[in-house]
Amino acid sequence: MSIEPAAAVPVLLLSVRDEYLGRGWLPPGHHWPDRPGLLGGLDLAAGGTWLAVDPARRTAACLLNGFGPSAPADARLSRGRLPLTALRDGGIGHLDLTPYDPFHLVQVGPEGARVTSWGGGRKAERRLPTGLSVVLNDGLEGAAADRTAPERIRTVLAARAAHFRARFAAVPRPQPTADGPAAAAWGGWLPIVTGDGLAPDEDAALIQRRDFGDGRIWGSTSISLLAMGPGLLRYDFAAAPVPADGSGWQRVATAA
């Protein structure tokens, strides 16, 4: 996430979805008849999403799974509906979160972003500062209040954050417009977000693949890029891994 209030495009969001590869999904579309104005990818297992966009309001909500105690099995609700609820209601402050497993929900608009973290029976909310911010499965900048992620996972997440924070800081910040291909819109960011040349099993890999045996393969399934500003909402999407020639990007229609 890059927030620069004085820039022509104040808010830029990169979202990479990591999931077991056997879990079915559909690319962004209007998948929810009860919320026809919202766009997002569809998780076929539970009917929710990892990233929802409201073109009419130029807002978005992005979900990351967290670490910590699970919700009671007899009352558990899918976290994938939270981005949809956040966009419909302007937030999730009115919800009882006890039926949800731990999560981090990033809510984004042209004026900035905030993250709500839930885990271990505690909720925390923070507004993202100007500049680059990284939200991981163990929270904003890897500093969730309830840090129960295994040490090995914390090491991997920290390596990823350190590598890519430095890489994004080293290239000019994109200034996307509503038109044109992804390469022109995102410039030096695009080769970074598609993997930056790292092998998918390296600790720092952004686009990853990890074989846990018994046919269980965990990896990055899609990449989303959002640009928000006064009168602007641009949404680019690609299934991961993106071909080496840079093809595979689609600009999602966001006309309200």
Side-chain angles (χ1 to χ4, degrees):
M1 170 76 67
S2 173
I3 299 174
E4 296 293 346
V9 185
V11 177
L12 304 176
L13 170 69
L14 159 67
S15 170
V16 177
R17 187 196 188 208
D18 298 331
E19 185 54 85
Y20 283 107
L21 301 193
R23 185 165 178 141
W25 58 279
L26 294 177
H30 295 280
H31 296 298
W32 302 277
D34 59 332
R35 295 163 195 185
L38 301 187
L39 275 169
L42 177 66
D43 172 34
L44 293 174
T49 187
W50 55 96
L51 174 67
V53 178
D54 183 344
R57 299 178 181 174
R58 297 200 311 280
T59 57
C62 178
L63 178 75
L64 294 86
N65 293 343
F67 297 104
S70 298
D74 60 352
R76 182 176 295 131
L77 297 175
S78 171
R79 291 169 289 193
R81 300 294 292 188
L82 290 169
L84 304 173
T85 300
L87 293 185
R88 181 194 66 189
D89 299 341
I92 58 171
H94 60 296
L95 294 181
D96 173 13
L97 298 181
T98 54
Y100 297 96
D101 288 345
F103 65 84
H104 308 285
L105 181 71
V106 184
Q107 294 173 246
V108 187
E111 74 290 343
R114 67 184 188 273
V115 58
T116 301
S117 296
W118 167 256
R122 294 190 295 272
K123 181 176 77 169
E125 293 187 340
R126 289 187 60 185
R127 191 152 193 86
L128 272 60
T130 296
L132 287 170
S133 292
V134 180
V135 183
L136 305 161
N137 297 101
D138 55 351
L140 176 60
E141 309 298 347
D146 187 44
R147 300 198 66 200
T148 58
E151 182 177 353
R152 173 60 184 151
I153 293 178
R154 291 202 302 270
T155 298
V156 169
L157 292 174
R160 181 190 289 191
H163 177 89
F164 284 94
R165 175 185 288 283
R167 291 290 290 120
F168 285 124
V171 300
R173 187 179 187 271
Q175 296 189 51
T177 62
D179 301 313
W186 296 98
W189 272 33
L190 212 61
I192 300 174
V193 305
T194 53
D196 206 32
L198 298 178
D201 59 353
E202 290 189 47
D203 281 1
L206 180 66
I207 308 304
Q208 58 177 305
R209 289 291 188 278
R210 303 186 189 278
D211 190 340
F212 294 142
D214 299 324
R216 297 178 306 130
I217 301 177
W218 176 270
S220 305
T221 61
S222 66
I223 309 168
S224 298
L225 287 164
L226 287 176
M228 295 179 175
L232 172 70
L233 172 61
R234 180 176 178 126
Y235 184 1
D236 289 282
F237 177 86
V242 180
D245 63 3
S247 64
W249 287 97
Q250 67 177 74
R251 185 153 48 91
V252 181
T254 58

